[in-house]
Amino acid sequence: DTAVSQTPKYLVTQMGNDKSIKCEQNLGHDTMYWYKQDSKKFLKIMFSYNNKELIINETVPNRFSPKSPDKAHLNLHINSLELGDSAVYFCASSQDRTGVVSYNEQFFGPGTRLTVL
Amino acid sequence: QKEVEQDPGPLSVPEGAIVSLNCTYSNSAFQYFMWYRQYSRKGPELLMYTYSSGNKEDGRFTAQVDKSSKYISLFIRDSQPSDSATYLCAMNPPGSWGKLQFGAGTQVVVTP
């Protein structure tokens, strides 16, 4: 199936731990994103990579570090987890290749539901 | 104040009714306007997009953009229980590298 996939789907962990979420897309897209969706469903962009280059880096604690080993993969590592990090994290990808973005259909993964206890 | 405002609902309607959703925004540079649909415990999926002002129709769905009022709408005709989902508006200006600004999403419940 062509899609954006994420692992794990659920992640329950203790405060202070370090965890990673992995994302893969087989759509041949050049750009990938990480979003955080809080309990009120508000979806906020965190990072974006275009061809392994970081192009969007929003105001996010530096405990969050994205890594893109190739353009089909984007991982998110979170150090020293805090209660406020509990949320659903979505990976997405899109076809954009230049800085002149037009219509931008982003394809989302199923999400990783992170619960910090 | 958020750049994109959207009433979170929930909005409950009987099957067959017209669902009316809207968002307001403050950034006049926004040119591309999208509606995403998100089913419970799933990722959002693009439903419709519109460039600049005007209307766009796709089956039972109509998207409208009024740039002069900074107001966008989505109408769902003949609503079905399968339309029950959260609808998120999203928008971005040119040259923004896909940096979409999302509304908070409106939860819609269509009852049989």
Side-chain angles (χ1 to χ4, degrees), chain A residues 37 55 58 99 101 103 106 113, chain B residues 36 38 41 95 97-99:
Chain A
Q37 188 170 47
I55 53 170
E58 291 295 277
V101 171
Y103 149 60
Q106 296 184 13
R113 188 172 294 269
Chain B
Y36 280 79
Q38 184 176 19
R41 298 196 173 247
W97 278 108
K99 190 173 168 181

Side-chain angles (χ1 to χ4, degrees), chain B residues 3 5 7 18 30 32 39 43 47 54 63 70 75 80 85 104 107:
Chain B
E3 280 193 286
E5 298 282 354
D7 187 335
I18 294 176
F30 288 145
Y32 303 97
Y39 289 115
L47 195 58
K70 297 193 182 74
F75 299 97
Q80 305 294 311
Q107 185 186 1

Side-chain angles (χ1 to χ4, degrees), chain B residues 30-85:
Chain B
F30 288 145
Q31 296 247 12
Y32 303 97
F33 303 92
M34 286 143 271
W35 287 94
Y36 280 79
R37 177 175 61 195
Q38 184 176 19
Y39 289 115
S40 181
R41 298 196 173 247
K42 302 282 188 189
E45 55 181 350
L46 183 70
L47 195 58
M48 293 186 72
Y49 82 95
T50 314
Y51 171 69
S52 196
S53 282
N55 292 0
K56 188 170 186 177
E57 194 172 313
D58 183 1
R60 297 184 294 111
F61 299 88
T62 300
Q64 290 183 350
V65 174
D66 181 350
K67 289 195 74 181
S68 62
S69 303
K70 297 193 182 74
Y71 187 89
I72 70 169
S73 303
L74 177 72
F75 299 97
I76 308 173
R77 289 184 300 282
D78 187 25
S79 56
Q80 305 294 311
S82 59
D83 294 326
S84 297

Side-chain angles (χ1 to χ4, degrees), chain A residues 2-117:
Chain A
T2 53
V4 180
S5 59
Q6 292 179 232
T7 53
K9 196 166 182 180
Y10 298 96
L11 191 49
V12 180
T13 188
Q14 300 286 333
M15 263 197 316
N17 284 350
D18 303 339
K19 290 293 178 188
S20 290
I21 307 171
K22 295 184 187 299
C23 178
E24 176 180 1
Q25 56 94 3
N26 60 6
L27 298 165
H29 290 164
D30 293 319
T31 307
M32 296 183 73
Y33 311 81
W34 278 115
Y35 285 88
K36 179 181 180 181
Q37 188 170 47
D38 61 26
S39 56
K40 293 190 173 142
K41 294 284 197 178
F42 187 63
L43 198 59
K44 187 158 171 55
I45 192 164
M46 301 170 69
F47 304 103
S48 176
Y49 273 77
N50 176 267
N51 258 321
K52 302 194 294 176
E53 181 189 347
L54 183 65
I55 53 170
I56 295 175
N57 187 0
E58 291 295 277
T59 307
V60 173
N62 58 15
R63 298 181 295 103
F64 290 79
S65 51
K67 275 197 174 53
S68 181
D70 56 60
K71 71 175 192 176
H73 295 85
L74 180 62
N75 303 324
L76 182 67
H77 187 75
I78 316 169
N79 287 327
S80 304
L81 278 154
E82 300 177 359
L83 292 175
D85 298 332
S86 295
V88 182
Y89 292 84
F90 285 101
C91 176
S93 71
S94 68
Q95 187 64 14
D96 322 291
R97 280 183 289 277
T98 70
V100 182
V101 171
S102 58
Y103 149 60
N104 178 276
E105 179 172 7
Q106 296 184 13
F107 292 79
F108 284 79
T112 295
R113 188 172 294 269
L114 172 65
T115 303
V116 182
L117 303 174

